[in-house]
Amino acid sequence: KKQGKDQFTVFDPVMRESFQKHLEMEADLRRAVLRHEFQLRFQPIVRLRTGEISGLEALVRWQHPERGMIPPLDFIPLAEETGMIVPIGEWVLREACRQAAGWNAQRPADAPLTVSVNLSAVQLDRADLPDVVSSALEESGLPAHCLVIELTESLIVDHRPETLRRLHAMKALGVRLAIDDFGTGYSSLAYLRRFPVDIIKIDKSFVDDVGDEPAAAALTHGIIQLGQALQLSTIAEGIEDAGQLSELAGGNCELGQGYYFAEPLTTEAMQDLLFGK
Ligand code: C2E
Ligand code: MG
Ligand code: MG
Ligand code: MG
């Protein structure tokens, strides 16, 4: 447009290729929704003091027929851009609730597992979100307090007025809300007062250095204390070694997840972990 009306834009080969890839990927994604090419992985969330599994985070994967397993960060942005995150996210929610309810039914003597589901800003923009959540609970039989909705800081900071109403509508169902990747956003602490948050997830970037960098340790302990003062649970993300675990547990971080305990597991592997082979 900037080049004047007599000129037309010529795609250079690299641009053309990436544009074509984008279109192809979009068509693939539409087909994936119709053909149910998505899968869930479940990563245990562990009580750091005891090692007991208190819940699971559901993480989506795309099993592409030619390209193999595609991780979420490689297709969620496109899914958000095209609105396809709405049907994908709804499937994730229903499937996560269904699976968690099934596992809880198999261990009636134990405290019920929670299941955490990541929500995109695009889903929160939709007026029917509380109904979608409520029907996923109803259909699965999962008690509302066992469902945790994970939101990112940026989503909360950039919120529209309806967002807050939708969050309250979900809270009214009994669902709990977590702030994901805490500490990486716009660092506005004010929203912790205004939003009905129950859980803070300490971003992996703090956890990475908690064992050997005083600043990371100080910030991590500060977040944990903030959580305690506000009566929120804290979950440390991305725990990979025993040093990080002891630093976090010693600092009274309640919960954690990470490769040190388990990677995100297939349904079958999670079943084995919970109930043995
Ligand atoms: P997240 O919600 O912060 O999830 C944690 C990510 O860290 C996951 O990556 C998990 O596999 C990875 N992780 C866990 N423990 C460790 C560890 O010890 N070391 C390392 N290096 N990584 C660890 P994943 O599954 O690739 O997901 C990436 C992001 O994609 C998620 O970050 C979340 O923001 C998004 N995502 C995943 N599933 C969904 C979904 O169903 N809907 C939406 N909207 N977003 C999703
Ligand atoms: Mg998450
Ligand atoms: Mg996270
Ligand atoms: Mg993340």
Side-chain angles (χ1 to χ4, degrees), residues 4 11 21 62 64 71 78 116 124 154-155 157 159 172 182-184 191 226 228 238 244 256:
F11 280 114
K21 270 215 183 103
W62 176 9
H64 190 287
L78 179 63
S116 301
L124 258 180
S154 55
L155 186 154
V157 174
H159 78 281
F182 187 83
T184 60
Y191 63 72
L226 181 69
Q228 285 172 339
Q244 294 165 346

Side-chain angles (χ1 to χ4, degrees), residues 84-207:
M84 275 182 282
I85 193 65
V86 171
I88 297 170
E90 185 169 335
W91 176 82
V92 168
L93 186 67
R94 288 180 191 283
E95 187 62 16
C97 290
R98 189 185 67 80
Q99 199 58 253
W103 281 324
N104 283 335
Q106 289 177 64
R107 55 202 291 280
D110 297 297
L113 298 166
T114 62
V115 67
S116 301
V117 173
N118 295 280
L119 223 65
S120 148
V122 177
Q123 291 172 274
L124 258 180
D125 278 345
R126 297 194 34 119
D128 64 352
L129 179 68
D131 292 337
V132 168
V133 170
S134 145
S135 86
L137 291 170
E138 215 163 284
E139 176 186 291
S140 63
L142 188 76
H145 67 266
C146 292
L147 176 63
V148 176
I149 296 289
E150 296 195 0
L151 311 161
T152 59
E153 270 178 281
S154 55
L155 186 154
I156 289 182
V157 174
D158 299 336
H159 78 281
R160 305 187 307 158
E162 309 88 79
T163 306
L164 188 55
R165 264 190 280 127
R166 258 159 236 156
L167 293 179
H168 278 292
M170 288 196 290
K171 287 283 301 182
L173 297 171
V175 170
R176 290 186 295 155
L177 303 181
I179 301 187
D180 209 344
D181 306 338
F182 187 83
T184 60
Y186 297 83
S187 60
S188 163
L189 295 177
Y191 63 72
L192 284 180
R193 277 176 65 202
R194 282 187 279 115
F195 282 83
V197 167
D198 305 282
I199 299 162
I200 296 176
K201 298 192 76 173
I202 306 171
D203 191 66
K204 180 179 187 308
S205 58
F206 298 100
V207 173

Side-chain angles (χ1 to χ4, degrees), residues 41-45 55-59 257-259 262-265:
R41 296 290 179 270
F42 295 92
Q43 187 175 39
I45 297 174
L56 318 164
E57 180 173 4
L59 295 155
Q257 61 189 105
Y259 296 170
E263 287 178 28
L265 303 171

Side-chain angles (χ1 to χ4, degrees), residues 256-273:
Q257 61 189 105
Y259 296 170
Y260 181 73
F261 302 109
E263 287 178 28
L265 303 171
T266 61
T267 306
E268 298 71 35
M270 191 71 226
Q271 173 82 26
D272 290 345
L273 180 67

